[in-house]
Amino acid sequence: MKNKLWTILAFPLFGMAIAACSGSKSTGSNAGEPALKDVFKKDFQIGAALNGSQIEEKDPQADAVIKKHFNVLTPENIMKCEIIHPTLDKYDFTLADKLVDYAAKNKMQVVGHTLIWHSQLSPFVRRMQNADSVKQFFNNHITTIAGRYNGKLLGWDVVNEALNEDGTMRKTIFLDKLGDDYVTEAFRLAQQAAPNTQLYYNDYNNEQPQKRAGCIALIKKIQAAGVRIDGVGIQGHWHLGRVPLADIEKSIEEYAALGMKVMFTEVDIEVLPRNFKGADVNQRMASDPKLNPYSNGIPDSILQKQAQDYANLFKLFLKHKDKISRITFWGVNDGQSWLNGWPVRGRTNYPLLFDRSFKPKPAYYSIIATKK
Ligand code: XIL
């Protein structure tokens, strides 16, 4: 009788202790580990980019990790023009609506990615020859999509990657047909259609001095036109042993001085060889076995080095947590990262915090340790 009473009393307590440890009710493969979003709750939001099957909840293991660790989500592809606006008169909101519902159901927020970008455009846009049709597309696209999700998203990457490495404006169909002010115009339209959504400019390498200067000029131009811009996203596609901490710190300070929320929006630290910096999705390299050294597994020494890079990065983020609102990883686990297919197809890359079986890597533990 005594034993039975003990079991009845102790079992619920034991159950509660497990739930408290895991930080959620999920039974993911890392159920005993602290949730990233809880560890950094007082510092910044922690996000992940989700692919289509994750949004459709077709991947139970990913689902457990997403629900446990992240409080803000970015669609990796499904809000890009080629998916959400496939032909001139047709929008397809199926997956975008699902993402918004999924986030609401799980008390997470969503950042829309992205309204205006020169890549992953639908073919009908690429074919446009005259300025009037581009202008019509531009107005319609921004107004329709931003309007549909007004107040349902935390923020929008209104314009993505408008700058060259030297800080000048990138030559795109928008610059070509609409002229220099198209970025300001995109923010103006987004502001009208989505008055209750934050508006961001997003780019890669915009922590580098020349591109940063261009980005600052762009922000000042938008502000001078009396148009709202709330933040700047530094994508953060960096390389093992070469995370530019000093440039990142300067960028955080300089962007924040303009009143910008600073966000790291697509973080990954890749470990494979590459002969250029940044993340231009149109830049590619030919396959070569020498470029794929860890196809059968990665040495622990590399993972430890990566953990050190991530720790240094998060120490810097914590130092400036008053200026940083969000850190988003570009993917959930290593097997799902875009870096397995870019810039070389068919590689085995290891850029994120969770391995191919969703187990936390040394990088995960090193990030948690920055809080101790
Ligand atoms: C990438 C996606 O991850 C890939 O699945 C897709 O094939 C190409 O685009 N900068 C961005 C992201 O702003 O949208 C890109 O995402 C990665 C670089």
Side-chain angles (χ1 to χ4, degrees):
M1 176 67 197
K2 216 173 160 195
N3 273 349
K4 208 171 170 192
L5 187 64
W6 187 90
T7 315
I8 293 166
L9 289 174
F11 189 71
L13 288 177
F14 183 62
M16 272 161 60
I18 289 179
C21 262
S22 71
S24 87
K25 288 192 208 96
S26 84
T27 50
S29 49
N30 55 349
E33 311 298 340
L36 290 166
K37 67 178 176 198
D38 294 341
V39 172
F40 296 100
K41 200 183 185 93
K42 297 209 171 106
D43 308 314
F44 23 68
Q45 289 183 292
I46 300 284
L50 303 197
N51 64 31
S53 75
Q54 289 161 348
I55 291 167
E56 295 201 90
E57 297 176 71
K58 286 184 180 160
D59 185 341
Q61 277 184 294
D63 204 51
V65 171
I66 295 161
K67 286 175 180 159
K68 174 170 171 174
H69 289 286
F70 304 108
N71 49 22
V72 56
L73 307 173
T74 307
E76 184 178 3
N77 286 302
I78 58 98
M79 278 184 164
K80 290 173 180 171
C81 179
E82 66 182 4
I83 297 180
I84 206 166
H85 192 176
T87 57
L88 182 64
D89 301 319
K90 188 174 166 247
Y91 287 90
D92 183 351
F93 296 115
T94 319
L95 286 171
D97 286 355
K98 272 197 181 138
L99 174 63
V100 170
D101 291 347
Y102 175 83
K105 208 169 63 192
N106 294 295
K107 300 193 171 50
M108 299 168 181
Q109 290 181 298
V110 175
V111 173
H113 176 79
T114 168
L115 289 169
I116 294 299
W117 189 30
H118 60 278
S119 286
Q120 293 182 269
L121 279 173
S122 297
F124 80 91
V125 186
R126 290 187 196 285
R127 281 195 300 265
M128 284 178 173
Q129 298 290 337
N130 68 70
D132 277 350
S133 15
V134 176
K135 192 160 185 201
Q136 222 176 3
F137 157 77
F138 189 85
N139 289 0
N140 194 282
H141 185 81
I142 297 174
T143 306
T144 306
I145 302 171
R148 181 179 181 91
Y149 297 108
N150 177 34
K152 294 188 175 167
L153 303 184
L154 169 66
W156 266 113
D157 289 338
V158 177
V159 178
N160 196 33
E161 302 179 355
L163 294 165
N164 293 316
E165 297 308 286
D166 66 358
T168 57
M169 294 291 289
R170 183 196 285 266
K171 195 169 159 28
T172 66
I173 182 169
F174 304 114
L175 185 74
D176 194 29
K177 302 287 189 241
L178 307 178
D180 245 11
D181 290 340
Y182 86 86
V183 175
T184 306
E185 209 37 52
F187 277 81
R188 194 194 306 280
L189 290 164
Q191 174 180 359
Q192 276 160 10
N196 302 315
T197 305
Q198 294 176 14
L199 307 177
Y200 317 133
Y201 175 75
N202 194 53
D203 215 327
Y204 62 83
N205 283 354
N206 53 341
E207 76 281 359
Q208 296 298 312
Q210 280 189 306
K211 200 161 182 178
R212 187 199 318 149
C215 193
I216 286 172
L218 204 56
I219 294 166
K220 286 186 172 164
K221 185 171 172 175
I222 297 167
Q223 291 175 328
V227 174
R228 178 164 64 88
I229 170 166
D230 301 289
V232 59
I234 295 172
Q235 291 182 5
H237 295 291
W238 290 307
H239 202 282
L240 186 72
R242 284 190 259 138
V243 179
L245 294 172
D247 292 322
I248 297 170
E249 179 158 37
K250 249 186 150 239
S251 303
I252 296 170
E253 287 165 342
E254 290 184 15
Y255 290 136
L258 295 174
M260 294 293 99
K261 293 179 197 303
V262 181
M263 281 151 276
F264 293 86
T265 55
E266 306 185 12
V267 174
D268 42 32
I269 300 181
E270 75 159 305
V271 301
L272 299 182
R274 178 135 71 89
N275 58 14
F276 64 93
K277 266 204 305 209
D280 185 342
V281 296
N282 299 309
Q283 208 169 346
R284 298 209 157 255
M285 288 163 68
S287 287
D288 175 344
K290 281 208 280 306
L291 296 176
N292 193 21
Y294 309 128
S295 55
N296 294 319
I298 183 159
D300 188 56
S301 59
I302 306 282
L303 294 181
Q304 295 302 334
K305 205 171 160 198
Q306 183 186 49
Q308 193 55 54
D309 276 356
Y310 266 116
N312 292 339
L313 192 56
F314 267 69
K315 278 184 206 151
L316 183 63
F317 292 161
L318 285 171
K319 179 175 169 196
H320 293 286
K321 63 183 182 187
D322 57 321
K323 308 175 195 73
I324 298 173
S325 58
R326 170 170 61 97
I327 313 294
T328 290
F329 295 91
W330 205 243
V332 177
N333 85 3
D334 281 346
Q336 301 169 331
S337 164
W338 73 302
L339 293 169
N340 295 300
W342 178 91
V344 182
R345 279 186 221 287
R347 295 202 292 183
T348 309
N349 218 329
Y350 301 81
L352 297 168
L353 303 187
F354 298 95
D355 72 12
R356 284 170 163 71
S357 49
F358 295 94
K359 265 184 38 216
K361 292 163 59 187
Y364 162 89
Y365 294 102
S366 75
I367 284 181
I368 301 282
T370 60
K371 287 292 288 183
K372 286 181 185 145

